Amino acid sequence: MPHSMYRSSHLLAGVMTCAVLCFSPAMSAPLRHERGTSLKDNRRKPQSLPKQSSPLTKPEVITVTAANHAPATSHPAGQTTYSSDRSNFGNQVGQSVADMVVTIPGVSFTQGNGPRDTVVSVRGSGDRQSYGLKNLQVLEDGFPMTQPDGTARADLIDPHAYQGMDVFEGPASTLYGNYAINGAINFRTRKGTDIHGLELGSDFGSFGMFNNYATLGLGNQRYDLMVFASDVRGNGSIANSRYNTSTENVRLRVNLTSSDRLILKFVNNVTDASLPVRLSLNQYHANPYQNGCYNTSNSRAGCASVNLLVNGRYGGKVAMSPEAAGLGRFDRRTVTGLRWEHDFNEQTTWRNQFTYDQRHVDQPTSPTSFVGPYNSYNVSSDVTNHARIGATSLDTFGGLSFDYLDYGYQTYNIMPLGGATRGAMSSASYGHQSNIGARFQEDWHFAPGWHAVVGLGGTYSDIGATETLYGYSASGMNSQYVTANRFYFNLAPEGALIYDPSEHWTFHTRVGTAYGTPSSSNFFITPQGQYGNNTQLKSQTSVGVDLGADWHPTATTHLQVTGFYEFYNNELVNQSAGVNAVGAYTFNAPASQHRGIVLGADWKPLPHTLPGGRISLNYTYDNQVYTKYTEVLSNSTASKRFSRSGKYIPGVIPNFLNARFLYDQPSGPLEGVGGYAEVTWRDAYWLDNANRLKALGYALLNLEMHYDPPARMGWAHRLHWYFEVQNVTNQTYVSGATNISDQLQANGQEATAATLMNSTGSIYAGSPRAYFGGLRIKL
């Protein structure tokens, strides 16, 4: 089960060897730095370790040989934090980041635009998005994976390359700056010293899925190298969802001296994916997997299509299926980063980091094709100091950062000739976005068992962009210009209090703040889903209160619960205008509130009679409502205003539950055999601001079985295999749904649910029953 963390680390010098159990109920989320050590916080007395080893995992022996160099951004003091390590996802197919986050309390996910484009949501952060990881700051090994416009995508993530991830939940702009409106995520790749050799693996399964991957790990006291590469391909369960994705991931740490370290990071991903269009609810019910839809002239009921200009410029249109039109995503993402860490002494560490990130997109995903590069640069410098003030300790963190994005993209009308043939250019946009930020945090352990946290962060953002819109007719071409020059300044203070009355209890409370500016792409999509002027958007801001407890009364029981209440101003919400629109429309809701409960539990009910058995559970209740928002709807003759105050914010899953029943045989002839049964339940959720139409909820059953031969098996010990069945009951379910626009009918009334069920651009169906297997060998 993921472990929670609400505290900070302290100075630990000398040499200490300790045994840390992966499922220790007394263990916080590990605090890691680039020298590979795990350190614990400065508490009134040391945390106790379990009296006996877990039968599920072997003790991990960690030798600490230096001070803690980890900055506050890798272990934000006071922030509600949950972590998941490789033991939670390393035994399964690992198709996408969804396999990594499913066991983390407070985190949910939906299907984005492509096989690995999973929309990860922390407390509902991404539930209103159709792609990517939004309203979050995403890091990998401490390097930024979110570009300056707030865009991060999960296509880069092949779970086989990772040791674990840490999720920092709640408003987090004090430390993470712009777009950390609902928190931050740090993915941690595997260490070379842990791999210690070469691993080769293959996954295979339903719908033509095949993933070949290799991991090389080397290291000693002077360096640590991890090199990962994979190539995954498949046909997908929906028509026109074929894909081929390759990923390379490299991390190298070199100890130049006893006080200086260099860390090099490189990630490259190429995605070549055909893409179906999102369906209306009626289309989903009639034909969720879009079978028999290639030819629109004789297609089956429920088939989706796009309307394409016959000559690529103006005039008549023809309907084509996504497969016949050649819709898809052909994208490349390359990230290169370098960090230098210098220890002035055992108490103070200085870090300087540079990251270059290029995202090149070629996306004929609608009647227009979106093409262009996004080049971004990120520079940061920070200092971490651990000091003693009498009998108390004080951890201080301060940093500066600057990031810059320049882009130039064009959109082209798609012609009905197949292969996403480009017609005339429909728009061109050029611009930049920069963010200059400063952050500061103090963590004071002012009494035994108590510590307080205060912090302040701020960002100045500059967004400048121009868009040229092209219109065509028999008489020629005309153009229209839209310009956006916006400047934003936002501050984010925070405060937290943590109390550890005993080794079994931790109580925490926090008041955090956050902000997120619009991105340039938000400025140029109108409510009709067409290119135009939407430059009036404001920054969204939030203030949130967390109150929680962590209880581990025995070595076999661990319970975590956090309640949150967050107040939003000018919340940015997206909604789709249909598949024949060029994009989703973004608007500011003046006031809204998010409140809920996050619960995690880990329990070994029969530690003596069934020592390999364990139950892991996480549950999230997320209630989000508009408290001040009036929506204007228009038809061809009139406009009317409708209050949405008190309405639920669409797209937000109100209840999410994951429960795993696990067993690993700890000894005997079947030692190494294990598996789990997993139930994932999502509640139904609203799709429109008027709360007239819902996406139906579902419960899925997955089964997994694996075998890790014990050391006594000799060479066979190097083999690992698994087999799993997903969606055992073969349910048809909604794996992703974007918000849809309400409509004003000719009679001046809002459209009913029956009408909205024909609104396209919303639904992706999840996979039917699927079988997967895999084999990994260590050389």
Side-chain angles (χ1 to χ4, degrees):
M1 176 186 171
H3 305 291
S4 61
M5 174 179 70
Y6 315 106
R7 22 189 115 84
S8 70
S9 60
H10 71 298
L11 175 66
L12 184 60
V15 178
M16 178 180 70
T17 302
C18 59
V20 181
L21 298 181
C22 293
F23 298 106
S24 164
M27 175 182 166
S28 297
L31 311 181
R32 292 172 169 83
H33 60 81
E34 297 303 337
R35 302 183 87 171
T37 61
S38 295
L39 305 177
K40 296 193 177 183
D41 60 311
N42 185 13
R43 303 179 62 178
R44 176 169 52 87
K45 58 183 179 179
Q47 290 185 335
S48 63
L49 295 174
K51 296 181 179 179
Q52 59 184 13
S53 298
S54 165
L56 302 182
T57 59
K58 297 179 180 179
E60 177 188 2
V61 178
I62 300 172
T63 301
V64 181
T65 59
N68 179 15
H69 304 283
T73 49
S74 68
H75 55 94
Q79 187 107 19
T80 299
T81 301
Y82 293 96
S83 296
S84 177
D85 64 27
R86 194 170 177 80
S87 63
N88 291 310
F89 56 83
N91 291 327
Q92 57 197 75
V93 62
Q95 294 188 88
S96 72
V97 70
D99 298 301
M100 300 176 66
V101 305
V102 67
T103 60
I104 300 180
V107 180
S108 59
F109 56 89
T110 56
Q111 179 62 52
N113 294 335
R116 282 215 309 236
D117 184 34
T118 304
V119 178
V120 176
S121 184
V122 177
R123 297 185 182 177
S125 62
D127 283 343
R128 296 173 296 282
Q129 310 295 331
S130 61
Y131 70 93
L133 288 76
K134 298 284 190 173
N135 295 321
L136 293 169
Q137 275 291 340
V138 180
L139 309 170
E140 185 166 309
D141 296 325
F143 291 91
M145 295 290 143
T146 298
Q147 289 195 307
D149 65 346
T151 299
R153 300 197 79 138
D155 302 273
L156 295 170
I157 300 170
D158 186 321
H160 298 91
Y162 295 87
Q163 180 59 37
M165 59 185 297
D166 307 309
V167 181
F168 315 123
E169 302 185 2
S173 288
T174 304
L175 289 179
Y176 299 98
N178 200 8
Y179 300 115
I181 196 75
N182 276 99
I185 300 177
N186 183 41
F187 292 92
R188 294 178 274 106
T189 54
R190 302 177 67 187
K191 293 184 175 64
T193 50
D194 293 339
I195 302 165
H196 195 61
L198 177 66
E199 292 183 357
L200 302 176
S202 290
D203 298 332
F204 45 86
S206 299
F207 313 112
M209 194 282 290
F210 209 103
N211 186 5
N212 292 316
Y213 61 93
T215 311
L216 173 67
L218 303 170
N220 55 34
Q221 293 182 346
R222 293 298 305 274
Y223 78 97
D224 188 278
L225 172 67
M226 189 281 299
V227 180
F228 174 83
S230 70
D231 181 83
V232 57
R233 59 191 64 202
N235 299 320
S237 59
I238 304 174
N240 202 52
S241 59
R242 175 200 60 80
Y243 60 91
N244 183 8
T245 299
S246 63
T247 303
E248 298 83 38
N249 198 319
V250 178
R251 177 182 178 274
L252 171 65
R253 172 188 51 80
V254 178
N255 294 338
L256 300 176
T257 69
S258 61
S259 301
D260 294 275
R261 296 165 298 281
L262 283 181
I263 298 91
L264 173 68
K265 183 70 181 179
F266 174 79
V267 184
N268 186 68
N269 173 262
V270 177
T271 296
D272 180 354
S274 301
L275 196 68
V277 298
R278 293 178 179 268
L279 309 177
S280 70
L281 204 55
N282 275 337
Q283 289 171 330
Y284 162 78
H285 288 312
N287 193 353
Y289 306 113
Q290 297 294 281
N291 295 320
C293 292
Y294 185 90
N295 295 313
T296 54
S297 59
N298 59 357
S299 60
R300 294 173 50 182
C303 287
S305 62
V306 289
N307 296 325
L308 306 181
L309 289 165
V310 175
N311 65 8
R313 299 170 65 86
Y314 65 90
K317 296 184 178 182
V318 61
M320 292 191 73
S321 68
E323 189 173 6
L327 302 191
R329 283 183 55 216
F330 314 104
D331 299 347
R332 178 180 58 80
R333 180 86 177 272
T334 304
V335 182
T336 302
L338 181 65
R339 180 165 64 242
W340 170 48
E341 298 180 353
H342 173 70
D343 303 329
F344 289 108
N345 50 48
E346 290 185 337
Q347 291 76 36
T348 306
T349 298
W350 182 29
R351 303 192 324 154
N352 297 281
Q353 180 170 288
F354 172 78
T355 306
Y356 170 69
D357 184 344
Q358 185 187 68
R359 171 169 51 106
H360 192 283
V361 299
D362 183 356
Q363 300 179 352
T365 60
S366 68
T368 59
S369 180
F370 182 92
V371 182
Y374 287 74
N375 297 291
S376 66
Y377 313 83
N378 183 293
V379 181
S380 64
S381 181
D382 58 61
V383 175
T384 301
N385 176 260
H386 309 280
R388 301 292 301 180
I389 303 177
T392 68
S393 65
L394 179 68
D395 297 339
T396 302
F397 172 82
L400 301 172
S401 63
F402 171 74
D403 56 46
Y404 182 85
L405 168 75
D406 65 72
Y407 70 89
Y409 67 78
Q410 301 81 42
T411 62
Y412 299 87
N413 297 320
I414 296 178
M415 300 178 67
L417 302 177
T421 302
R422 295 179 189 173
M425 184 184 298
S426 58
S427 72
S429 183
Y430 301 89
H432 71 272
Q433 178 167 346
S434 63
N435 302 287
I436 302 174
R439 51 204 177 188
F440 177 79
Q441 187 186 78
E442 295 275 15
D443 179 14
W444 182 31
H445 297 244
F446 61 90
W450 290 87
H451 63 111
V453 180
V454 294
L456 178 65
T459 302
Y460 174 79
S461 299
D462 172 7
I463 306 176
T466 61
E467 184 174 61
T468 305
L469 308 175
Y470 299 99
Y472 301 92
S473 65
S475 59
M477 181 191 74
N478 62 78
S479 57
Q480 175 187 351
Y481 300 93
V482 180
T483 301
N485 286 301
R486 300 298 306 276
F487 304 92
Y488 303 91
F489 178 69
N490 291 288
L491 287 174
E494 71 171 4
L497 186 66
I498 301 96
Y499 176 48
D500 297 315
S502 74
E503 60 184 296
H504 302 299
W505 284 97
T506 297
F507 299 96
H508 63 103
T509 184
R510 176 177 182 266
V511 178
T513 56
Y515 49 84
T517 64
S519 62
S520 57
S521 61
N522 301 144
F523 289 143
F524 300 126
I525 305 292
T526 68
Q528 293 73 38
Q530 302 301 317
Y531 291 116
N533 193 329
N534 193 37
T535 59
Q536 78 288 344
L537 292 173
K538 305 174 183 178
S539 290
Q540 60 178 339
T541 60
S542 68
V543 178
V545 179
D546 278 19
L547 181 63
D550 188 336
W551 182 46
H552 37 84
T554 69
T556 61
T557 305
H558 190 188
L559 181 67
Q560 307 148 68
V561 61
T562 299
F564 62 91
Y565 209 121
E566 300 168 356
F567 301 85
Y568 278 70
N569 288 317
N570 297 313
E571 182 170 6
L572 294 167
V573 184
N574 294 342
Q575 61 188 30
S576 170
V579 299
N580 289 302
V582 297
Y585 166 64
T586 302
F587 62 92
N588 286 118
S592 52
Q593 295 179 7
H594 303 184
R595 50 272 179 117
I597 297 173
V598 175
L599 172 68
D602 192 78
W603 181 39
K604 293 169 58 179
L606 301 170
H608 301 294
T609 58
L610 198 66
R614 185 167 65 94
I615 299 173
S616 174
L617 178 145
N618 77 80
Y619 167 74
T620 303
Y621 168 69
D622 197 358
N623 179 287
Q624 300 188 13
V625 296
Y626 295 122
T627 54
K628 182 181 180 183
Y629 172 46
T630 299
E631 184 175 23
V632 179
L633 300 180
S634 302
N635 57 28
S636 58
T637 60
S639 295
K640 293 187 69 173
R641 300 169 64 88
F642 297 90
S643 173
R644 303 304 187 199
S645 300
K647 297 292 186 181
Y648 292 102
I649 299 176
V652 178
I653 302 171
N655 292 281
F656 181 88
L657 172 71
N658 176 266
R660 281 187 176 181
F661 304 88
L662 307 100
Y663 185 81
D664 280 86
Q665 180 63 27
S667 60
L670 296 179
E671 180 182 357
V673 174
Y676 63 78
E678 174 186 67
V679 176
T680 300
W681 171 62
R682 298 185 193 181
D683 201 359
Y685 53 96
W686 296 107
L687 293 176
D688 67 304
N689 287 327
N691 292 174
R692 295 177 180 269
L693 191 66
K694 274 188 173 183
L696 298 179
Y698 63 86
L700 296 183
L701 172 64
N702 301 322
L703 300 176
E704 187 270 347
M705 184 177 181
H706 61 266
Y707 180 45
D708 280 308
R712 68 172 183 269
M713 300 294 291
W715 66 268
H717 176 60
R718 297 176 177 269
L719 296 174
H720 163 81
W721 67 264
Y722 78 89
F723 177 78
E724 65 180 279
V725 185
Q726 296 182 357
N727 190 6
V728 173
T729 59
N730 201 29
Q731 288 197 53
T732 302
Y733 66 98
V734 175
S735 66
T738 60
N739 300 344
I740 61 175
S741 301
D742 287 299
Q743 302 172 23
L744 185 65
Q745 299 182 126
N747 61 4
Q749 300 299 313
E750 287 190 84
T752 63
T755 299
L756 295 179
M757 288 182 70
N758 293 309
S759 297
T760 59
S762 180
I763 307 293
Y764 275 147
S767 170
R769 184 188 298 117
Y771 303 89
F772 299 99
L775 176 68
R776 182 173 66 243
I777 182 171
K778 183 173 182 178
L779 302 178

